[in-house]
Amino acid sequence: VDCINIYEHMPMSDTHCGWNMGNKYPDYHQVMERIGGADYVNNLGVKEFWIWYNGHELNGYGFELPESNLSSPVTGDISNSARLRNDLPVYDHTYTVYQFDLTSNHAFAIHNFVHQIENQLSYINRRQDGNEDLFFKSFCGMDESQSWITGRCGWTHMPPNTNEHYHYDDTIYVWSDCEDWNPQNDGIKKLVNVATWRDIPYDWPAEPGWTPDDSPYSVLQQRAETHFYIYWRQNIPGKNNGICYGANAELTDWWQFLGNWDEAVRSMQGLYVAVNKVSSNTNSLLSDFHLRPNYPNPFNNTTRIGYYLPTDANIHLLIYNLYGQVIRSLESRHLPKGSYELVWDGRNNNGQTVGSGVYFVQLQVNAAGKLKSYQQKMVLLK
């Protein structure tokens, strides 16, 4: 939509970088106001802002930028590197700020996008199942001890043939189902190594006199890493993928979450949906009343609690302590069919901040004269 060159120092916030306490984040509120960010998002439909900067200069001034930073009116901050509730202004629609270091390389820029995809899809997995098993264990490749394994699709730091961070050019072959992936791991497997993605004939800038027959490399380095990111994304389940998930479910189009986050989240889409028959254990989000796992959990100060009503109903959303005492009533009224989300700020009905510990959120539903209740455990840490 626009390219803007700003010859000014990045304004600094008072927020320290979580993994590097010597550095602070930029003040994105000033940045977005400076460029008219609200107009770009609300009126022009912009979903991404790419900020290019001189990384050496920023770090010299005590700055650090997250690789990706999402602001959403429906889910809050679902970002890579840091999730700070108030570091970006919230507009009418979701948008993501990507940071690219001019002193780094092209592969680093694509690296940021892949991490953001991981964060959004794993969030949907947690919202649907209360865990990230389908995405990280089955799709990327992780065992029950949460150790990275080879043979699946890999993730940003690791291709399918390695469990070593940032090793994109490993020549070791492994059997992988990445090109015919399904959760059950019974797709067609093929031997893959660096040549599998590096040698895909994507357009690639060549140095003078270089021809495709000379070498798989050109004047731009990191071809293997860059190609892997593209190859990895091509393995993400798309529209009408027909991939089964157990006996009663199919995978949805995962790209819907990346193409239109707001619509997918508001319509309660998940990474899979029940087919053929609906039972109590299919996890179909739209078939029954549904209390979603709160996020984050454990949490510090605030957590988001969502639920879905397939019909109009009288509901009570209550917070209990370990002694079974109601300490907070978050909602108590008649609501129409739909998806809802509230924030618990860690306070009781008297406005007092409660202490660290285990709490329970309970959704009580009265619909058509039938009473139902659903409960989730929450952990508050300070």
PDB file of all heavy atoms in Angstrom, residues 106 169 171 194-207 210-227:
ATOM      1  N   HIS A 106      18.089 -12.010   4.009  1.00  0.00           N
ATOM      2  CA  HIS A 106      16.743 -12.256   3.505  1.00  0.00           C
ATOM      3  C   HIS A 106      16.087 -13.446   4.207  1.00  0.00           C
ATOM      4  O   HIS A 106      14.888 -13.444   4.444  1.00  0.00           O
ATOM      5  CB  HIS A 106      16.795 -12.509   2.000  1.00  0.00           C
ATOM      6  CG  HIS A 106      17.802 -13.551   1.621  1.00  0.00           C
ATOM      7  ND1 HIS A 106      19.135 -13.251   1.500  1.00  0.00           N
ATOM      8  CD2 HIS A 106      17.695 -14.879   1.385  1.00  0.00           C
ATOM      9  CE1 HIS A 106      19.799 -14.346   1.191  1.00  0.00           C
ATOM     10  NE2 HIS A 106      18.962 -15.346   1.116  1.00  0.00           N
ATOM     11  N   ASP A 169      21.029 -27.239   6.168  1.00  0.00           N
ATOM     12  CA  ASP A 169      21.738 -27.855   5.047  1.00  0.00           C
ATOM     13  C   ASP A 169      22.333 -29.215   5.416  1.00  0.00           C
ATOM     14  O   ASP A 169      23.358 -29.621   4.881  1.00  0.00           O
ATOM     15  CB  ASP A 169      22.833 -26.921   4.535  1.00  0.00           C
ATOM     16  CG  ASP A 169      23.784 -26.477   5.639  1.00  0.00           C
ATOM     17  OD1 ASP A 169      23.584 -26.900   6.792  1.00  0.00           O
ATOM     18  OD2 ASP A 169      24.717 -25.709   5.348  1.00  0.00           O
ATOM     19  N   THR A 171      22.946 -32.977   5.178  1.00  0.00           N
ATOM     20  CA  THR A 171      22.847 -33.919   4.065  1.00  0.00           C
ATOM     21  C   THR A 171      22.330 -35.287   4.491  1.00  0.00           C
ATOM     22  O   THR A 171      22.093 -36.148   3.645  1.00  0.00           O
ATOM     23  CB  THR A 171      24.225 -34.100   3.402  1.00  0.00           C
ATOM     24  OG1 THR A 171      25.168 -34.548   4.384  1.00  0.00           O
ATOM     25  CG2 THR A 171      24.703 -32.774   2.803  1.00  0.00           C
ATOM     26  N   VAL A 194      18.740 -31.989   2.661  1.00  0.00           N
ATOM     27  CA  VAL A 194      18.808 -30.610   2.216  1.00  0.00           C
ATOM     28  C   VAL A 194      18.465 -30.450   0.742  1.00  0.00           C
ATOM     29  O   VAL A 194      17.851 -29.448   0.338  1.00  0.00           O
ATOM     30  CB  VAL A 194      20.209 -30.018   2.511  1.00  0.00           C
ATOM     31  CG1 VAL A 194      21.302 -30.810   1.818  1.00  0.00           C
ATOM     32  CG2 VAL A 194      20.278 -28.550   2.093  1.00  0.00           C
ATOM     33  N   ALA A 195      18.823 -31.427  -0.100  1.00  0.00           N
ATOM     34  CA  ALA A 195      18.558 -31.309  -1.529  1.00  0.00           C
ATOM     35  C   ALA A 195      17.062 -31.263  -1.828  1.00  0.00           C
ATOM     36  O   ALA A 195      16.638 -30.701  -2.845  1.00  0.00           O
ATOM     37  CB  ALA A 195      19.214 -32.460  -2.287  1.00  0.00           C
ATOM     38  N   THR A 196      16.235 -31.852  -0.938  1.00  0.00           N
ATOM     39  CA  THR A 196      14.792 -31.912  -1.163  1.00  0.00           C
ATOM     40  C   THR A 196      14.200 -30.523  -1.312  1.00  0.00           C
ATOM     41  O   THR A 196      13.360 -30.284  -2.188  1.00  0.00           O
ATOM     42  CB  THR A 196      14.102 -32.664  -0.008  1.00  0.00           C
ATOM     43  OG1 THR A 196      14.722 -33.940   0.165  1.00  0.00           O
ATOM     44  CG2 THR A 196      12.619 -32.834  -0.276  1.00  0.00           C
ATOM     45  N   TRP A 197      14.605 -29.585  -0.477  1.00  0.00           N
ATOM     46  CA  TRP A 197      14.063 -28.222  -0.564  1.00  0.00           C
ATOM     47  C   TRP A 197      15.025 -27.264  -1.248  1.00  0.00           C
ATOM     48  O   TRP A 197      14.592 -26.368  -1.971  1.00  0.00           O
ATOM     49  CB  TRP A 197      13.688 -27.703   0.829  1.00  0.00           C
ATOM     50  CG  TRP A 197      14.699 -27.955   1.898  1.00  0.00           C
ATOM     51  CD1 TRP A 197      15.759 -27.179   2.250  1.00  0.00           C
ATOM     52  CD2 TRP A 197      14.738 -29.098   2.763  1.00  0.00           C
ATOM     53  NE1 TRP A 197      16.466 -27.744   3.278  1.00  0.00           N
ATOM     54  CE2 TRP A 197      15.862 -28.926   3.622  1.00  0.00           C
ATOM     55  CE3 TRP A 197      13.944 -30.226   2.911  1.00  0.00           C
ATOM     56  CZ2 TRP A 197      16.203 -29.851   4.596  1.00  0.00           C
ATOM     57  CZ3 TRP A 197      14.289 -31.145   3.880  1.00  0.00           C
ATOM     58  CH2 TRP A 197      15.397 -30.963   4.705  1.00  0.00           C
ATOM     59  N   ARG A 198      16.321 -27.450  -1.065  1.00  0.00           N
ATOM     60  CA  ARG A 198      17.287 -26.516  -1.667  1.00  0.00           C
ATOM     61  C   ARG A 198      17.208 -26.510  -3.182  1.00  0.00           C
ATOM     62  O   ARG A 198      17.329 -25.464  -3.828  1.00  0.00           O
ATOM     63  CB  ARG A 198      18.695 -26.893  -1.240  1.00  0.00           C
ATOM     64  CG  ARG A 198      19.794 -25.962  -1.753  1.00  0.00           C
ATOM     65  CD  ARG A 198      21.150 -26.629  -1.668  1.00  0.00           C
ATOM     66  NE  ARG A 198      21.199 -27.846  -2.480  1.00  0.00           N
ATOM     67  CZ  ARG A 198      22.065 -28.845  -2.290  1.00  0.00           C
ATOM     68  NH1 ARG A 198      22.948 -28.792  -1.306  1.00  0.00           N
ATOM     69  NH2 ARG A 198      22.040 -29.906  -3.073  1.00  0.00           N
ATOM     70  N   ASP A 199      16.981 -27.671  -3.789  1.00  0.00           N
ATOM     71  CA  ASP A 199      17.061 -27.786  -5.234  1.00  0.00           C
ATOM     72  C   ASP A 199      15.725 -27.599  -5.943  1.00  0.00           C
ATOM     73  O   ASP A 199      15.619 -27.833  -7.148  1.00  0.00           O
ATOM     74  CB  ASP A 199      17.660 -29.145  -5.618  1.00  0.00           C
ATOM     75  CG  ASP A 199      19.107 -29.275  -5.167  1.00  0.00           C
ATOM     76  OD1 ASP A 199      19.685 -28.251  -4.758  1.00  0.00           O
ATOM     77  OD2 ASP A 199      19.645 -30.403  -5.195  1.00  0.00           O
ATOM     78  N   ILE A 200      14.701 -27.202  -5.211  1.00  0.00           N
ATOM     79  CA  ILE A 200      13.440 -26.845  -5.884  1.00  0.00           C
ATOM     80  C   ILE A 200      13.727 -25.636  -6.773  1.00  0.00           C
ATOM     81  O   ILE A 200      14.321 -24.649  -6.322  1.00  0.00           O
ATOM     82  CB  ILE A 200      12.345 -26.511  -4.854  1.00  0.00           C
ATOM     83  CG1 ILE A 200      12.043 -27.736  -3.991  1.00  0.00           C
ATOM     84  CG2 ILE A 200      11.069 -26.046  -5.555  1.00  0.00           C
ATOM     85  CD1 ILE A 200      11.083 -27.468  -2.857  1.00  0.00           C
ATOM     86  N   PRO A 201      13.333 -25.647  -8.042  1.00  0.00           N
ATOM     87  CA  PRO A 201      13.729 -24.569  -8.969  1.00  0.00           C
ATOM     88  C   PRO A 201      12.903 -23.293  -8.830  1.00  0.00           C
ATOM     89  O   PRO A 201      12.267 -22.839  -9.779  1.00  0.00           O
ATOM     90  CB  PRO A 201      13.523 -25.226 -10.339  1.00  0.00           C
ATOM     91  CG  PRO A 201      12.412 -26.205 -10.126  1.00  0.00           C
ATOM     92  CD  PRO A 201      12.620 -26.746  -8.733  1.00  0.00           C
ATOM     93  N   TYR A 202      12.906 -22.716  -7.637  1.00  0.00           N
ATOM     94  CA  TYR A 202      12.314 -21.394  -7.481  1.00  0.00           C
ATOM     95  C   TYR A 202      13.220 -20.368  -8.171  1.00  0.00           C
ATOM     96  O   TYR A 202      14.426 -20.572  -8.300  1.00  0.00           O
ATOM     97  CB  TYR A 202      12.194 -21.016  -6.000  1.00  0.00           C
ATOM     98  CG  TYR A 202      11.313 -21.918  -5.166  1.00  0.00           C
ATOM     99  CD1 TYR A 202      11.766 -22.431  -3.953  1.00  0.00           C
ATOM    100  CD2 TYR A 202      10.032 -22.239  -5.577  1.00  0.00           C
ATOM    101  CE1 TYR A 202      10.967 -23.254  -3.175  1.00  0.00           C
ATOM    102  CE2 TYR A 202       9.225 -23.071  -4.802  1.00  0.00           C
ATOM    103  CZ  TYR A 202       9.697 -23.570  -3.605  1.00  0.00           C
ATOM    104  OH  TYR A 202       8.908 -24.382  -2.851  1.00  0.00           O
ATOM    105  N   ASP A 203      12.637 -19.248  -8.594  1.00  0.00           N
ATOM    106  CA  ASP A 203      13.459 -18.165  -9.125  1.00  0.00           C
ATOM    107  C   ASP A 203      14.426 -17.715  -8.040  1.00  0.00           C
ATOM    108  O   ASP A 203      14.037 -17.519  -6.887  1.00  0.00           O
ATOM    109  CB  ASP A 203      12.581 -16.988  -9.555  1.00  0.00           C
ATOM    110  CG  ASP A 203      11.826 -17.285 -10.837  1.00  0.00           C
ATOM    111  OD1 ASP A 203      12.268 -18.196 -11.564  1.00  0.00           O
ATOM    112  OD2 ASP A 203      10.813 -16.625 -11.104  1.00  0.00           O
ATOM    113  N   TRP A 204      15.668 -17.520  -8.426  1.00  0.00           N
ATOM    114  CA  TRP A 204      16.692 -17.178  -7.447  1.00  0.00           C
ATOM    115  C   TRP A 204      17.697 -16.234  -8.101  1.00  0.00           C
ATOM    116  O   TRP A 204      18.233 -16.556  -9.162  1.00  0.00           O
ATOM    117  CB  TRP A 204      17.383 -18.455  -6.951  1.00  0.00           C
ATOM    118  CG  TRP A 204      18.275 -18.270  -5.763  1.00  0.00           C
ATOM    119  CD1 TRP A 204      19.630 -18.216  -5.753  1.00  0.00           C
ATOM    120  CD2 TRP A 204      17.872 -18.090  -4.413  1.00  0.00           C
ATOM    121  NE1 TRP A 204      20.104 -18.023  -4.483  1.00  0.00           N
ATOM    122  CE2 TRP A 204      19.026 -17.945  -3.632  1.00  0.00           C
ATOM    123  CE3 TRP A 204      16.625 -18.029  -3.775  1.00  0.00           C
ATOM    124  CZ2 TRP A 204      18.996 -17.746  -2.259  1.00  0.00           C
ATOM    125  CZ3 TRP A 204      16.606 -17.846  -2.410  1.00  0.00           C
ATOM    126  CH2 TRP A 204      17.767 -17.704  -1.664  1.00  0.00           C
ATOM    127  N   PRO A 205      17.952 -15.081  -7.516  1.00  0.00           N
ATOM    128  CA  PRO A 205      18.901 -14.139  -8.138  1.00  0.00           C
ATOM    129  C   PRO A 205      20.266 -14.783  -8.338  1.00  0.00           C
ATOM    130  O   PRO A 205      20.827 -15.374  -7.413  1.00  0.00           O
ATOM    131  CB  PRO A 205      18.966 -12.994  -7.127  1.00  0.00           C
ATOM    132  CG  PRO A 205      17.695 -13.103  -6.345  1.00  0.00           C
ATOM    133  CD  PRO A 205      17.397 -14.572  -6.272  1.00  0.00           C
ATOM    134  N   ALA A 206      20.793 -14.682  -9.552  1.00  0.00           N
ATOM    135  CA  ALA A 206      22.055 -15.336  -9.878  1.00  0.00           C
ATOM    136  C   ALA A 206      23.169 -14.315 -10.064  1.00  0.00           C
ATOM    137  O   ALA A 206      22.930 -13.183 -10.482  1.00  0.00           O
ATOM    138  CB  ALA A 206      21.906 -16.151 -11.152  1.00  0.00           C
ATOM    139  N   GLU A 207      24.379 -14.723  -9.744  1.00  0.00           N
ATOM    140  CA  GLU A 207      25.513 -13.849  -9.976  1.00  0.00           C
ATOM    141  C   GLU A 207      25.848 -13.839 -11.468  1.00  0.00           C
ATOM    142  O   GLU A 207      25.474 -14.759 -12.204  1.00  0.00           O
ATOM    143  CB  GLU A 207      26.716 -14.318  -9.162  1.00  0.00           C
ATOM    144  CG  GLU A 207      27.137 -15.753  -9.427  1.00  0.00           C
ATOM    145  CD  GLU A 207      28.213 -16.192  -8.469  1.00  0.00           C
ATOM    146  OE1 GLU A 207      29.219 -15.493  -8.364  1.00  0.00           O
ATOM    147  OE2 GLU A 207      28.033 -17.249  -7.831  1.00  0.00           O
ATOM    148  N   TRP A 210      26.447 -16.958 -14.014  1.00  0.00           N
ATOM    149  CA  TRP A 210      26.004 -18.210 -13.391  1.00  0.00           C
ATOM    150  C   TRP A 210      24.833 -18.795 -14.158  1.00  0.00           C
ATOM    151  O   TRP A 210      23.932 -18.094 -14.603  1.00  0.00           O
ATOM    152  CB  TRP A 210      25.594 -17.932 -11.954  1.00  0.00           C
ATOM    153  CG  TRP A 210      25.070 -19.135 -11.207  1.00  0.00           C
ATOM    154  CD1 TRP A 210      25.805 -20.049 -10.524  1.00  0.00           C
ATOM    155  CD2 TRP A 210      23.705 -19.541 -11.068  1.00  0.00           C
ATOM    156  NE1 TRP A 210      24.986 -21.002  -9.954  1.00  0.00           N
ATOM    157  CE2 TRP A 210      23.692 -20.711 -10.284  1.00  0.00           C
ATOM    158  CE3 TRP A 210      22.501 -19.033 -11.542  1.00  0.00           C
ATOM    159  CZ2 TRP A 210      22.528 -21.377  -9.956  1.00  0.00           C
ATOM    160  CZ3 TRP A 210      21.330 -19.700 -11.219  1.00  0.00           C
ATOM    161  CH2 TRP A 210      21.344 -20.862 -10.429  1.00  0.00           C
ATOM    162  N   THR A 211      24.803 -20.091 -14.342  1.00  0.00           N
ATOM    163  CA  THR A 211      23.684 -20.775 -14.987  1.00  0.00           C
ATOM    164  C   THR A 211      23.192 -21.866 -14.055  1.00  0.00           C
ATOM    165  O   THR A 211      23.938 -22.354 -13.191  1.00  0.00           O
ATOM    166  CB  THR A 211      24.101 -21.416 -16.323  1.00  0.00           C
ATOM    167  OG1 THR A 211      25.044 -22.463 -16.067  1.00  0.00           O
ATOM    168  CG2 THR A 211      24.712 -20.381 -17.264  1.00  0.00           C
ATOM    169  N   PRO A 212      21.945 -22.302 -14.222  1.00  0.00           N
ATOM    170  CA  PRO A 212      21.399 -23.328 -13.317  1.00  0.00           C
ATOM    171  C   PRO A 212      22.198 -24.622 -13.316  1.00  0.00           C
ATOM    172  O   PRO A 212      22.126 -25.399 -12.362  1.00  0.00           O
ATOM    173  CB  PRO A 212      19.985 -23.545 -13.873  1.00  0.00           C
ATOM    174  CG  PRO A 212      19.647 -22.270 -14.554  1.00  0.00           C
ATOM    175  CD  PRO A 212      20.941 -21.769 -15.143  1.00  0.00           C
ATOM    176  N   ASP A 213      22.960 -24.888 -14.393  1.00  0.00           N
ATOM    177  CA  ASP A 213      23.727 -26.124 -14.446  1.00  0.00           C
ATOM    178  C   ASP A 213      25.025 -26.051 -13.645  1.00  0.00           C
ATOM    179  O   ASP A 213      25.652 -27.083 -13.379  1.00  0.00           O
ATOM    180  CB  ASP A 213      24.062 -26.466 -15.907  1.00  0.00           C
ATOM    181  CG  ASP A 213      22.805 -26.757 -16.714  1.00  0.00           C
ATOM    182  OD1 ASP A 213      21.839 -27.240 -16.097  1.00  0.00           O
ATOM    183  OD2 ASP A 213      22.797 -26.476 -17.913  1.00  0.00           O
ATOM    184  N   ASP A 214      25.434 -24.841 -13.275  1.00  0.00           N
ATOM    185  CA  ASP A 214      26.718 -24.681 -12.599  1.00  0.00           C
ATOM    186  C   ASP A 214      26.688 -25.179 -11.163  1.00  0.00           C
ATOM    187  O   ASP A 214      27.584 -25.881 -10.714  1.00  0.00           O
ATOM    188  CB  ASP A 214      27.153 -23.212 -12.601  1.00  0.00           C
ATOM    189  CG  ASP A 214      27.494 -22.722 -14.001  1.00  0.00           C
ATOM    190  OD1 ASP A 214      27.812 -23.575 -14.848  1.00  0.00           O
ATOM    191  OD2 ASP A 214      27.421 -21.507 -14.224  1.00  0.00           O
ATOM    192  N   SER A 215      25.672 -24.776 -10.433  1.00  0.00           N
ATOM    193  CA  SER A 215      25.647 -25.036  -9.001  1.00  0.00           C
ATOM    194  C   SER A 215      24.255 -24.727  -8.472  1.00  0.00           C
ATOM    195  O   SER A 215      23.538 -23.919  -9.062  1.00  0.00           O
ATOM    196  CB  SER A 215      26.673 -24.147  -8.284  1.00  0.00           C
ATOM    197  OG  SER A 215      26.440 -24.123  -6.896  1.00  0.00           O
ATOM    198  N   PRO A 216      23.842 -25.371  -7.379  1.00  0.00           N
ATOM    199  CA  PRO A 216      22.549 -25.013  -6.772  1.00  0.00           C
ATOM    200  C   PRO A 216      22.603 -23.671  -6.041  1.00  0.00           C
ATOM    201  O   PRO A 216      21.592 -23.203  -5.535  1.00  0.00           O
ATOM    202  CB  PRO A 216      22.294 -26.152  -5.787  1.00  0.00           C
ATOM    203  CG  PRO A 216      23.647 -26.654  -5.442  1.00  0.00           C
ATOM    204  CD  PRO A 216      24.474 -26.507  -6.691  1.00  0.00           C
ATOM    205  N   TYR A 217      23.764 -23.054  -5.952  1.00  0.00           N
ATOM    206  CA  TYR A 217      23.905 -21.802  -5.222  1.00  0.00           C
ATOM    207  C   TYR A 217      24.074 -20.625  -6.175  1.00  0.00           C
ATOM    208  O   TYR A 217      24.321 -20.793  -7.370  1.00  0.00           O
ATOM    209  CB  TYR A 217      25.102 -21.865  -4.264  1.00  0.00           C
ATOM    210  CG  TYR A 217      24.970 -22.956  -3.237  1.00  0.00           C
ATOM    211  CD1 TYR A 217      25.614 -24.177  -3.404  1.00  0.00           C
ATOM    212  CD2 TYR A 217      24.164 -22.778  -2.123  1.00  0.00           C
ATOM    213  CE1 TYR A 217      25.468 -25.188  -2.482  1.00  0.00           C
ATOM    214  CE2 TYR A 217      24.016 -23.779  -1.192  1.00  0.00           C
ATOM    215  CZ  TYR A 217      24.668 -24.986  -1.369  1.00  0.00           C
ATOM    216  OH  TYR A 217      24.510 -25.982  -0.447  1.00  0.00           O
ATOM    217  N   SER A 218      23.970 -19.433  -5.672  1.00  0.00           N
ATOM    218  CA  SER A 218      24.176 -18.221  -6.457  1.00  0.00           C
ATOM    219  C   SER A 218      24.806 -17.181  -5.571  1.00  0.00           C
ATOM    220  O   SER A 218      25.300 -17.478  -4.486  1.00  0.00           O
ATOM    221  CB  SER A 218      22.842 -17.721  -7.013  1.00  0.00           C
ATOM    222  OG  SER A 218      22.041 -17.205  -5.970  1.00  0.00           O
ATOM    223  N   VAL A 219      24.780 -15.928  -6.020  1.00  0.00           N
ATOM    224  CA  VAL A 219      25.423 -14.871  -5.253  1.00  0.00           C
ATOM    225  C   VAL A 219      24.752 -14.687  -3.891  1.00  0.00           C
ATOM    226  O   VAL A 219      25.386 -14.300  -2.917  1.00  0.00           O
ATOM    227  CB  VAL A 219      25.411 -13.547  -6.063  1.00  0.00           C
ATOM    228  CG1 VAL A 219      23.982 -13.057  -6.272  1.00  0.00           C
ATOM    229  CG2 VAL A 219      26.253 -12.477  -5.374  1.00  0.00           C
ATOM    230  N   LEU A 220      23.435 -14.947  -3.800  1.00  0.00           N
ATOM    231  CA  LEU A 220      22.750 -14.873  -2.513  1.00  0.00           C
ATOM    232  C   LEU A 220      22.924 -16.195  -1.781  1.00  0.00           C
ATOM    233  O   LEU A 220      22.604 -17.255  -2.315  1.00  0.00           O
ATOM    234  CB  LEU A 220      21.265 -14.589  -2.704  1.00  0.00           C
ATOM    235  CG  LEU A 220      20.866 -13.165  -3.072  1.00  0.00           C
ATOM    236  CD1 LEU A 220      19.354 -13.065  -3.229  1.00  0.00           C
ATOM    237  CD2 LEU A 220      21.332 -12.173  -2.024  1.00  0.00           C
ATOM    238  N   GLN A 221      23.418 -16.139  -0.581  1.00  0.00           N
ATOM    239  CA  GLN A 221      23.598 -17.346   0.208  1.00  0.00           C
ATOM    240  C   GLN A 221      22.294 -17.709   0.920  1.00  0.00           C
ATOM    241  O   GLN A 221      21.284 -17.056   0.773  1.00  0.00           O
ATOM    242  CB  GLN A 221      24.744 -17.144   1.203  1.00  0.00           C
ATOM    243  CG  GLN A 221      26.083 -16.871   0.531  1.00  0.00           C
ATOM    244  CD  GLN A 221      26.485 -17.977  -0.426  1.00  0.00           C
ATOM    245  OE1 GLN A 221      26.529 -19.149  -0.048  1.00  0.00           O
ATOM    246  NE2 GLN A 221      26.770 -17.628  -1.658  1.00  0.00           N
ATOM    247  N   GLN A 222      22.343 -18.782   1.716  1.00  0.00           N
ATOM    248  CA  GLN A 222      21.207 -19.261   2.501  1.00  0.00           C
ATOM    249  C   GLN A 222      20.032 -19.706   1.648  1.00  0.00           C
ATOM    250  O   GLN A 222      18.881 -19.586   2.017  1.00  0.00           O
ATOM    251  CB  GLN A 222      20.757 -18.193   3.509  1.00  0.00           C
ATOM    252  CG  GLN A 222      21.837 -17.887   4.542  1.00  0.00           C
ATOM    253  CD  GLN A 222      21.484 -16.701   5.385  1.00  0.00           C
ATOM    254  OE1 GLN A 222      21.376 -15.594   4.874  1.00  0.00           O
ATOM    255  NE2 GLN A 222      21.298 -16.940   6.651  1.00  0.00           N
ATOM    256  N   ARG A 223      20.368 -20.225   0.481  1.00  0.00           N
ATOM    257  CA  ARG A 223      19.317 -20.752  -0.385  1.00  0.00           C
ATOM    258  C   ARG A 223      18.587 -21.905   0.302  1.00  0.00           C
ATOM    259  O   ARG A 223      17.352 -21.986   0.249  1.00  0.00           O
ATOM    260  CB  ARG A 223      19.919 -21.216  -1.714  1.00  0.00           C
ATOM    261  CG  ARG A 223      18.897 -21.846  -2.645  1.00  0.00           C
ATOM    262  CD  ARG A 223      19.495 -22.101  -4.013  1.00  0.00           C
ATOM    263  NE  ARG A 223      18.541 -22.760  -4.900  1.00  0.00           N
ATOM    264  CZ  ARG A 223      18.572 -22.678  -6.209  1.00  0.00           C
ATOM    265  NH1 ARG A 223      19.510 -21.959  -6.802  1.00  0.00           N
ATOM    266  NH2 ARG A 223      17.690 -23.310  -6.944  1.00  0.00           N
ATOM    267  N   ALA A 224      19.325 -22.805   0.956  1.00  0.00           N
ATOM    268  CA  ALA A 224      18.685 -23.950   1.603  1.00  0.00           C
ATOM    269  C   ALA A 224      17.706 -23.495   2.673  1.00  0.00           C
ATOM    270  O   ALA A 224      16.572 -23.994   2.752  1.00  0.00           O
ATOM    271  CB  ALA A 224      19.748 -24.867   2.208  1.00  0.00           C
ATOM    272  N   GLU A 225      18.134 -22.560   3.506  1.00  0.00           N
ATOM    273  CA  GLU A 225      17.251 -22.068   4.568  1.00  0.00           C
ATOM    274  C   GLU A 225      16.012 -21.391   3.996  1.00  0.00           C
ATOM    275  O   GLU A 225      14.881 -21.667   4.413  1.00  0.00           O
ATOM    276  CB  GLU A 225      18.009 -21.098   5.477  1.00  0.00           C
ATOM    277  CG  GLU A 225      17.146 -20.540   6.601  1.00  0.00           C
ATOM    278  CD  GLU A 225      17.896 -19.570   7.492  1.00  0.00           C
ATOM    279  OE1 GLU A 225      19.119 -19.405   7.313  1.00  0.00           O
ATOM    280  OE2 GLU A 225      17.251 -18.969   8.376  1.00  0.00           O
ATOM    281  N   THR A 226      16.208 -20.512   3.029  1.00  0.00           N
ATOM    282  CA  THR A 226      15.087 -19.783   2.440  1.00  0.00           C
ATOM    283  C   THR A 226      14.109 -20.738   1.765  1.00  0.00           C
ATOM    284  O   THR A 226      12.890 -20.630   1.938  1.00  0.00           O
ATOM    285  CB  THR A 226      15.607 -18.767   1.416  1.00  0.00           C
ATOM    286  OG1 THR A 226      16.579 -17.924   2.034  1.00  0.00           O
ATOM    287  CG2 THR A 226      14.479 -17.898   0.887  1.00  0.00           C
ATOM    288  N   HIS A 227      14.623 -21.689   1.003  1.00  0.00           N
ATOM    289  CA  HIS A 227      13.757 -22.652   0.331  1.00  0.00           C
ATOM    290  C   HIS A 227      13.009 -23.530   1.331  1.00  0.00           C
ATOM    291  O   HIS A 227      11.855 -23.897   1.089  1.00  0.00           O
ATOM    292  CB  HIS A 227      14.581 -23.528  -0.611  1.00  0.00           C
ATOM    293  CG  HIS A 227      14.825 -22.895  -1.939  1.00  0.00           C
ATOM    294  ND1 HIS A 227      15.046 -23.621  -3.082  1.00  0.00           N
ATOM    295  CD2 HIS A 227      14.888 -21.591  -2.308  1.00  0.00           C
ATOM    296  CE1 HIS A 227      15.232 -22.797  -4.103  1.00  0.00           C
ATOM    297  NE2 HIS A 227      15.163 -21.561  -3.654  1.00  0.00           N
TER     298      HIS A 227
END
